[in-house]
Amino acid sequence: QLQLVESGGGVVQPGGSLRLSCAASGFTLVDYAIGWFRQAPGKEREGVSCISSFGGNINYADSVKGRFTISRDNAKNTVYLEMNSLKPEDTAVYYCAARTPVCGTEDEFAYWGQGTQVTVSS
């Protein structure tokens, strides 16, 4: 059974940092592009970042460029999202998703995790 599990969310003050993890089971992550998406209350889900199957292509939403870093450790079958200089507007449920082998639009991602809550508040 293909499964993605996010972890690392929590409550952090503005300016703080968190590292989210997306761990895969039931399949080899190296064959897949992994995207991070987020959905804030009352808003549509939006793309945050994506990394292609071998890490050769990475993209970020303009709102997180320079603050977030996506990376992957294929040996651990895990993708990470390092989030720095967090702002209240980063508050959302964060999801990771997988598709083969390159990044694409949200509806092209076939496998999704359950999400992890990130709250940025003083």
Side-chain angles (χ1 to χ4, degrees):
Q1 181 179 359
L2 305 183
Q3 190 174 14
L4 294 170
V5 178
E6 303 94 337
S7 62
V11 180
V12 63
Q13 292 186 342
S17 299
L18 284 173
R19 187 177 78 159
L20 304 183
S21 299
C22 174
S25 62
F27 66 105
T28 303
L29 206 57
V30 69
D31 296 328
Y32 291 78
I34 301 297
W36 282 99
F37 298 81
R38 67 185 181 185
Q39 188 166 22
K43 295 187 177 181
E44 293 186 355
R45 190 159 57 189
E46 63 175 353
V48 175
S49 181
C50 187
I51 184 168
S52 61
S53 59
F54 289 96
N57 184 48
I58 291 175
N59 58 63
Y60 298 96
D62 288 343
S63 59
V64 306
K65 281 181 181 176
R67 300 188 299 122
F68 290 12
T69 303
I70 192 170
S71 62
R72 62 192 305 151
D73 186 338
N74 290 330
K76 295 183 177 180
N77 228 25
T78 301
V79 170
Y80 303 98
L81 185 68
E82 184 77 31
M83 306 187 297
N84 299 313
S85 302
L86 283 162
K87 305 175 181 180
E89 51 263 44
D90 294 318
T91 296
V93 177
Y94 284 71
Y95 302 88
C96 64
R99 73 179 297 263
T100 56
V102 297
C103 298
T105 59
E106 180 179 335
D107 59 357
E108 294 175 319
F109 283 81
Y111 307 104
W112 290 80
Q114 293 299 307
T116 185
Q117 176 71 46
V118 171
T119 302
V120 185
S121 175
S122 55

